[in-house]
Each structure stands twice: as C-alpha cells, then as structure tokens.
Amino acid sequence: MLRADLDHREWLPDDAKTGEMVFIPGGTFRMGSDHHYPEEAPSHRVSVDGFWIDRTPVTNRQFKQFVNATGHVTEAQIVPDPKDYPGALKEMLYAGSLVFSPLPRITDLRDWSQWWSFMRGANWRHPYGPGTNIKGLDDHPVVHVSFSDAAAYARWAGKDLPTEAEWEFAARGGLEGEEFAWGDALMPGGKHMANIWQGNFPVQNLGEDGFERTSPVMAFPPNGYGLYDMIGNVWEWTGDWWSARRVADVAKPCCIPQNPRGGREEASFDPCQPNIQIPRKVLKGGSHLCAPNYCRRYRPAARHAEPVDTSTSHVGFRCVVRSRSAQPSPVHSVT
C-alpha cells in the first residue's frame, strides 16, 4: 500500500530518474519466435520508440528503500480476500507466497504442485519462508512481488513497467533474430551467460553456474546494450495483459505496430480456472529455474502468463522511463 504523500518522484526531471538507467534507441525488430512455444508465434515486426530501462532488476536494497520510505506492504504479507477464491477453505487463506520446494520424489512433470508450495510467511523479506531472511542478499533481485507491488515501486520511482515489446527489444541487445540475448549458442565457448538450471529439473540442480537460486544482479555478462539479467535469474513483470495469440506481420511496412501493447484485461483470465477471474500479465526473461529438459524460456522471445495477485520466489521486475514521444498504441494482439 502506497502513501500518496510519498509518491513524489513522478514529478522529478528525467535526468534525476534516469541517471543510472540505460537509454535504448528506438527501432523496428522481429518480436516473438516461430521455433519454440506456441504462445511466442507468429514472429512479427513491431517498432518501439526510445526509452530508458533499469540496468538490472530491482534489488532487495532498492526495494527496501521504497518500503522504508512509503510503508508499502506487499500482497504476500496480506491475507487473501475470500471472495477472490470461491470455494477455498478458510484455513487455506493466509499470508504467504509460492516457494520452489520440490518433493523428494517427482512423479509427474505436468503437476507443478510437486515443486511449488504456497508457504505461510514467505515474502520479500523471507524469500524461502519463516526462518529465512535477505541478509547478504542486498544485490540479489527482490522476489515475492506481485504486479501491484512492482507497479507501486515504479510509481514511487517516477517510472513505469515496460511493455512486452520494450522489454523484448531491450533484451535482444541490438541483435536481430538470435536465440539468446548474446547470440545463438547457449554457452559460447563453454561459458555460462545467465543464471539458469543445470541438471534434470526439478530433482537435480548441478549449480554449475555457481548458483542454485538467485544470483547478484551483475554476476553474469551484460547484453549488447549493457543490461544485466535480461535472461535468467528472475522472471520480470511487464505492463501488458496476457494474450495467448499473436498477430502476423502486416502487409505494408508503413503499418508496422508502433509501441504496441498486449491483449485485453477481460481476455487474460486463465481458461483452466473459470471460477477465478483474476487477470494475468506477461512475464519475460525466464529464471534460474528454467532448464533445457523442461522450460527453455531463457530467451528474449519467451513469455509466460502470471496472475496479477501472484508472487513467487523467482519473479521480480525492472522499470522504464519513456521519452515523451513514446506513447503505447492500442492493443494489437488477436484475442
């Protein structure tokens, strides 16, 4: 919850907001992919205007400054409202968040409940549940933040959350059509380029890149724009509503979507849970849990739907500041 009297940075001049951010020149690029998951297809040309973006995901140190200044309480620290979860037992509704905690024996890779646990008391200050803390993790990305938590931080900082198109353009680092943020090889010359899973997910984590969970935000090389952790470490919230279908290329170059946005809020609900009408936003970038044998979403084109009230131990965010000419255009997805 944000105290309005402290929501002050919106009126700061751009140079005060963007001093430590990276400016991304506008351009046209091919968004999405035709070679991996169906929700990434079809690839299509879009254009974005120039914008500034955080060099790294927001860290625990930065989020702590925000909480100290505003008194913000994250959704993971609040008991859920029963009306949002029809049919849920009262004893199932408590303050907490999803923590990666695999069972000793995994029997079905289609059942994510075998490695995710909604843990009482898990939140950004206690990322792995009661008894854990963020001591020594100041430079790790903040986790257990819902969409509204990320948006509240962005407002306080006088910034915004990126659109999916802005995020993907920045993640590509100036490369056109490459698989990863650094090229076509996952490990060029045998070098680990991002914090992802090595081993047989979710039962064997070899930790060959040096980390079993999150990593400090500058632990791996930046992309061509000087941005860190655009791939792996934590998924990142965008401001776009989820849409499972994408539009194809337009016939004429003059009609390429400019500063596009995603789907419609009312079309973003999960069709597998018709009784729970909670809209979903687009996550980008993959996380330290993405593995070659299970979730190959450690790529700029990859995307994932996340309910706006959900927080987990592998989702964070970063912010943008748009140039005054960059105003997102109407929805361009097919729903």
Side-chain angles (χ1 to χ4, degrees):
M1 291 162 235
L2 187 68
R3 294 209 303 267
D5 59 325
L6 290 171
D7 187 8
H8 63 288
R9 299 191 186 186
E10 182 178 351
W11 298 280
L12 289 175
D14 279 351
D15 56 353
K17 301 176 189 176
T18 62
E20 297 183 2
M21 302 176 82
V22 175
F23 183 72
I24 308 298
T28 300
F29 75 108
R30 183 161 291 280
M31 185 176 177
S33 171
D34 297 319
H35 308 297
H36 293 277
Y37 296 98
E39 67 271 13
E40 300 170 19
S43 65
H44 57 291
R45 306 290 290 179
V46 303
S47 294
V48 294
D49 292 337
F51 58 96
W52 288 265
I53 189 168
D54 287 340
R55 191 177 299 274
T56 72
V58 172
T59 63
N60 283 315
R61 176 185 289 109
Q62 293 169 314
F63 199 77
K64 189 187 305 180
Q65 293 170 345
F66 158 63
V67 170
N68 289 344
T70 65
H72 182 85
V73 179
T74 63
E75 285 201 65
Q77 295 169 290
I78 301 171
V79 177
D81 189 333
K83 71 177 177 58
D84 293 330
Y85 302 92
L89 299 175
K90 184 177 180 180
E91 58 268 25
M92 295 173 59
L93 298 176
Y94 49 81
S97 188
L98 286 166
V99 176
F100 178 72
S101 181
L103 297 174
R105 182 169 178 267
I106 304 298
T107 59
D108 186 355
L109 281 176
R110 296 168 297 181
D111 181 10
W112 58 264
S113 69
Q114 296 188 32
W115 54 88
W116 283 108
S117 173
F118 188 79
M119 191 173 294
R120 187 189 299 268
N123 55 58
W124 76 275
R125 291 188 184 275
H126 307 287
Y128 308 116
T132 69
N133 57 57
I134 55 173
K135 185 178 180 180
L137 301 180
D138 276 355
D139 293 324
H140 286 234
V142 65
V143 292
H144 296 296
V145 284
S146 68
F147 177 79
S148 67
D149 297 325
Y153 176 96
R155 288 194 300 272
W156 171 77
K159 302 178 182 182
D160 204 349
L161 296 178
T163 66
E164 183 179 0
E166 289 168 340
W167 195 100
E168 187 169 328
F169 185 69
R172 292 183 178 277
L175 300 177
E176 179 70 23
E178 306 286 346
E179 282 287 285
F180 306 105
W182 50 84
D184 269 333
L186 177 60
M187 293 177 57
K191 182 179 181 180
H192 291 285
M193 300 295 289
N195 181 4
I196 62 173
W197 184 284
Q198 298 88 47
N200 184 26
F201 181 89
V203 296
Q204 178 195 44
N205 188 350
L206 299 175
E208 293 172 344
D209 59 9
F211 302 97
E212 291 190 5
R213 296 187 185 266
T214 61
S215 52
V217 294
M218 291 187 177
F220 294 87
N223 72 0
Y225 287 143
L227 304 175
Y228 293 84
D229 282 357
M230 296 302 288
I231 300 300
N233 210 0
V234 294
W235 284 97
E236 298 182 15
W237 288 105
T238 73
D240 283 3
W241 297 113
W242 172 262
S243 176
R245 299 177 62 193
R246 315 296 291 276
V247 297
D249 272 329
V250 294
K252 299 179 180 179
C254 64
C255 302
I256 291 174
Q258 185 76 23
N259 300 318
R261 297 305 302 254
R264 303 191 312 272
E265 177 179 357
E266 61 270 23
S268 71
F269 302 124
D270 186 349
C272 295
Q273 301 187 66
N275 294 328
I276 299 179
Q277 297 291 287
I278 297 176
R280 298 179 295 170
K281 293 281 187 176
V282 177
L283 297 182
K284 296 288 282 184
S287 80
H288 60 280
L289 300 181
C290 285
N293 76 300
Y294 182 74
C295 173
R296 300 183 306 279
R297 290 185 169 89
Y298 36 70
R299 298 169 290 103
R303 53 204 302 267
H304 181 64
E306 188 81 346
V308 294
D309 67 334
T310 298
S311 60
T312 78
S313 59
H314 74 330
V315 172
F317 69 102
R318 76 180 73 209
C319 301
V320 299
V321 171
R322 298 184 181 94
S323 62
R324 299 192 184 280
S325 63
Q327 296 299 323
S329 65
V331 168
H332 79 290
S333 294
V334 178
T335 56

